[in-house]
Amino acid sequence: MPILCSLFPIPYSLLINVVKQNTIQSGFILTAVGSLKQANLRFANQNTNQLLIEKFEIVSLVGTLSIHSVHWVYLTFVNFA
């Protein structure tokens, strides 16, 4: 049975640099696709992470970006094992 997971806000220093360099006032990420060899899950309201080492497919990536506020990016992935 496939595992369907959502990551909570993730670090994304590269995106922040793009936002700052281009003075993006109100940007967003609509979606993305791709694959992962591993994922480090951070659970809500907990100080622990769980490292998953296997192949995953990215099925959704959404978020908001602005030079004026905190940014949030959410990634959803699935394994088809």
Side-chain angles (χ1 to χ4, degrees):
M1 183 166 142
I3 298 171
L4 187 60
C5 301
S6 293
L7 291 179
F8 292 95
I10 59 176
Y12 52 104
S13 58
L14 179 62
L15 290 176
I16 297 302
N17 289 339
V18 170
V19 169
K20 289 178 180 177
Q21 290 171 359
N22 295 284
T23 319
I24 295 175
Q25 303 290 317
S26 181
F28 62 92
I29 299 170
L30 185 57
T31 194
V33 295
S35 60
L36 304 169
K37 293 180 182 176
Q38 65 182 35
N40 190 13
L41 298 179
R42 182 183 65 82
F43 299 99
N45 300 318
Q46 296 183 20
N47 293 326
T48 59
N49 293 352
Q50 180 178 356
L51 181 62
L52 304 174
I53 301 176
E54 57 184 286
K55 294 180 182 178
F56 299 102
E57 293 293 322
I58 298 170
V59 295
S60 176
L61 177 67
V62 297
T64 58
L65 305 165
S66 171
I67 60 171
H68 302 292
S69 64
V70 176
H71 313 92
W72 298 100
V73 176
Y74 295 88
L75 173 71
T76 304
F77 62 90
V78 64
N79 76 342
F80 290 106

